[in-house]
Amino acid sequence: KVYTLPGTGGDTVMQGLDSLAERCKKYYSEGARFAKWRSPFVVDMSSGRPTDLAIKSSMSDLARYALICQSEGLMPIVEPDVSLSGNHTLEDAVLVNTKILAELFKQMIDHGVYLPGATLKSNIINPGKDCSISYTVDEIAKANVSVLEQTFPVAMKTANYLSGGQSLKDATARLSAINRCNKRGPWNLSFSWSAALQLPLLELCRGKGELQLDAMRKLYIEELTIASAASKGEWNGKEGDGCHEGAGKKRKLGDDGR
């Protein structure tokens, strides 16, 4: 359940840790072997969101959830999710995401979470969808790899990005560029997408009155083929795919990805 955190101007935290151990024990007995906890954030640089209080509270809860899951035999997926909404720049997104991920992994270590037994599912770091500055897909990829190199423990083997409102063409282009840009990190950088894969399938059925199963099956295989190639840095979409088109003049990132 999402709960608005008082004194933060609208930041939220997730509730549900009470009796989580008993629920995990039940789920394990019924065949579950992993779980996921999502902690959403909205960026508003003018009001200082997300606040330090919201970040620390949410990441502490995420770490405690992970520890409880592992104590009951479940592999925890930790999901800090920074929304695409807003007009923040890519540089702003780098600062916010670095702070969130650094706090998450600190809390996981402090709580005693076994890092190789957990998985990260996070957003691809992007400028806000209303950002007026344009960025190339390679600039976005460089920013993402920079944040991973600063924060992501090598003990964790994989990060699987959520789509978070991105189209499939943008998500795959950015994931492929991130993998090409990642020269030093030992991680598997892949995808955990739902809407980006599902919405095009549902669009095939619009106005048809019934599921278009043959067409949906064909498109789904095509989508997964593209996503698989992107997870290995081997997908090359059309020119402009994965770029952020803003209304203002493009500003290049610095060498540090900020």
Side-chain angles (χ1 to χ4, degrees):
K1 180 180 178 181
V2 180
Y3 171 73
T4 300
L5 194 61
T8 63
D11 279 337
T12 60
V13 292
M14 299 295 291
Q15 293 182 318
L17 288 174
D18 292 346
S19 73
L20 179 61
E22 288 301 315
R23 283 179 280 135
C24 285
K25 185 177 299 184
K26 177 177 181 292
Y27 300 150
Y28 185 92
S29 70
E30 294 175 349
R33 292 298 180 266
F34 66 90
K36 181 174 75 73
W37 183 290
R38 173 177 173 266
S39 294
F41 293 95
V42 172
V43 179
D44 184 350
M45 302 303 290
S46 64
S47 63
R49 294 176 56 201
T51 59
D52 288 346
L53 175 60
I55 292 173
K56 290 181 179 179
S57 297
S58 292
M59 296 304 95
S60 176
D61 287 349
L62 203 52
R64 189 147 59 103
Y65 137 83
L67 183 63
I68 292 170
C69 284
Q70 290 185 343
S71 72
E72 300 302 332
L74 299 179
M75 190 280 291
I77 300 172
V78 291
E79 183 181 357
D81 180 6
V82 179
S83 173
L84 272 175
S85 63
N87 60 7
H88 52 280
T89 66
L90 183 58
E91 294 86 346
D92 294 332
V94 165
L95 291 174
V96 170
N97 280 271
T98 298
K99 184 179 290 188
I100 289 171
L101 291 176
E103 185 66 29
L104 169 61
F105 300 127
K106 178 184 184 301
Q107 290 288 345
M108 290 176 72
I109 292 170
D110 288 349
H111 279 72
V113 175
Y114 179 61
L115 296 184
T119 293
L120 174 68
K121 177 179 178 178
S122 64
N123 55 282
I124 291 178
I125 297 168
N126 282 302
K129 63 182 180 181
D130 296 323
C131 175
S132 62
I133 301 169
S134 296
Y135 298 94
T136 68
V137 66
D138 289 329
E139 289 172 333
I140 292 172
K142 184 178 179 180
N144 277 269
V145 172
S146 174
V147 172
L148 289 176
E149 290 178 345
Q150 293 180 70
T151 63
F152 195 26
V154 296
M156 295 182 71
K157 304 303 181 183
T158 182
N160 299 280
Y161 291 106
L162 54 92
S163 52
Q166 301 171 101
S167 66
L168 184 62
K169 70 179 181 66
D170 283 340
T172 51
R174 289 164 184 166
L175 175 60
S176 191
I178 289 169
N179 274 289
R180 289 194 297 269
C181 185
N182 178 34
K183 304 298 185 183
R184 296 184 292 182
W187 319 282
N188 173 62
L189 304 178
S190 190
F191 62 94
S192 180
W193 298 331
S194 54
L197 296 170
Q198 294 166 2
L199 291 180
L201 302 178
L202 296 176
E203 189 63 29
L204 292 174
C205 306
R206 185 185 296 274
K208 302 294 178 58
E210 61 182 13
L211 293 177
Q212 306 297 299
L213 294 179
D214 289 339
M216 293 171 74
R217 185 180 301 111
K218 180 181 178 182
L219 179 56
Y220 191 44
I221 292 172
E222 292 173 358
E223 289 179 335
L224 292 178
T225 300
I226 292 170
S228 176
S231 71
K232 295 177 284 187
E234 298 173 356
W235 173 248
N236 294 301
K238 297 179 180 178
E239 185 176 356
D241 286 356
C243 298
H244 172 78
E245 296 298 330
K249 183 178 179 181
K250 184 176 76 171
R251 182 171 66 197
K252 299 289 287 186
L253 293 179
D255 290 339
D256 61 353
R258 291 171 55 183

